[in-house]
Amino acid sequence: MRSYLTAVCIVTLFLSCSTREEGGFTVPPDYRSWGKPVKKLLDYPVPGHGPTFRVIYANKTAFTASVAKNQTGTARITMPDGSIIIKEIYKKKGDVNKKEPELTIMVKNLKSKLSLHGWFYYVKHPGKPITRIDGRLCIGCHEAANEPHPYFDKNAKGIFRDYLFTSYIK
Ligand code: HEC
């Protein structure tokens, strides 16, 4: 009985801690009404995201991003706090916009010390709870967005792009 009670206490403590946990995220149900930084369906294989079909959505805050220049005139993009970018990943082209896709998500949170250079990274598999990725898995590759890379505008000048391959500057 005592061990049962101890177990209940531990579970209760765990639940109350995890619900208050900093950096939690719920996928906004209307995210498909948001704007897209890239209009076309992404269908080329990409390292880290596999041979898949991908659609990227971003909230209004993300599209208020602007370019700043430092004293030496070097451009730098810093995404506004509260920016949310959701990338849908489909295995089959025919499932796009139909089946519930896998989601990879980046949420800008400048206040939290737990964020990775200001971003939280999440993965959500269909029917499963969302998982925050705190290790090097996501950021390790997204650091490459701050250097010249082969995607979209290619960041030829290698400016700081706040870990994003896509651009939110009008
Ligand atoms: C090996 C490299 C690599 C890894 C690892 C990776 N990504 Fe990406 N990610 C990319 C590339 C390249 C793009 C550009 C869009 C495309 O073609 O899919 C991208 C795009 C994105 C975008 C759209 C915003 C942007 O940067 O343009 C999000 C959101 C995203 N990834 C989330 C994640 C999350 C979350 C993880 C970890 C689970 C992750 N990524 C792991 C390479 C990677």
Side-chain angles (χ1 to χ4, degrees), residues 68-104:
K69 290 211 169 137
N70 66 12
Q71 284 101 328
T72 60
T74 312
R76 185 182 167 89
I77 296 172
T78 312
M79 296 299 288
D81 198 23
S83 296
I84 304 174
I85 304 164
I86 299 186
K87 174 156 114 170
E88 297 188 329
I89 304 175
Y90 298 91
K91 291 213 168 66
K92 291 191 211 132
K93 198 172 184 177
D95 288 344
V96 175
N97 293 329
K98 290 185 195 131
K99 278 208 181 136
E100 192 188 343
E102 179 190 328
L103 304 175
T104 55

Side-chain angles (χ1 to χ4, degrees), residues 110-125:
L110 290 167
K111 282 164 226 108
S112 175
K113 290 195 191 84
L114 296 175
S115 67
L116 302 170
H117 297 296
W119 289 102
F120 281 118
Y121 294 80
Y122 300 94
V123 176
K124 167 107 180 58
H125 292 282

Side-chain angles (χ1 to χ4, degrees), residues 21-27 102-107 120-135 137-138:
E21 191 200 4
E22 201 183 349
F25 183 71
T26 307
V27 178
E102 179 190 328
L103 304 175
T104 55
I105 303 167
M106 292 173 68
V107 179
F120 281 118
Y121 294 80
Y122 300 94
V123 176
K124 167 107 180 58
H125 292 282
K128 302 249 173 70
I130 195 161
T131 314
R132 200 178 74 211
I133 311 290
D134 292 332
L137 178 68
C138 311

Side-chain angles (χ1 to χ4, degrees), residues 42 44 46-49 54 56 85-87 104-106 121-123 133 137-138 141-142 151-152 163-166 168:
L42 305 174
Y44 50 88
V46 73
H49 296 271
R54 302 172 304 281
I56 303 172
I85 304 164
I86 299 186
K87 174 156 114 170
T104 55
I105 303 167
M106 292 173 68
Y121 294 80
Y122 300 94
V123 176
I133 311 290
L137 178 68
C138 311
C141 188
H142 274 254
Y151 307 103
F152 314 120
Y163 306 89
L164 297 176
F165 292 96
T166 41
Y168 301 84

Side-chain angles (χ1 to χ4, degrees), residues 20-75:
R20 271 187 277 121
E21 191 200 4
E22 201 183 349
F25 183 71
T26 307
V27 178
D30 66 341
Y31 78 84
R32 276 183 175 154
S33 67
W34 296 357
K36 293 179 191 168
V38 188
K39 296 281 177 282
K40 69 181 190 71
L41 181 68
L42 305 174
D43 58 359
Y44 50 88
V46 73
H49 296 271
T52 52
F53 301 90
R54 302 172 304 281
V55 186
I56 303 172
Y57 294 93
N59 68 352
K60 280 201 181 120
T61 308
F63 287 103
T64 65
S66 56
V67 188
K69 290 211 169 137
N70 66 12
Q71 284 101 328
T72 60
T74 312

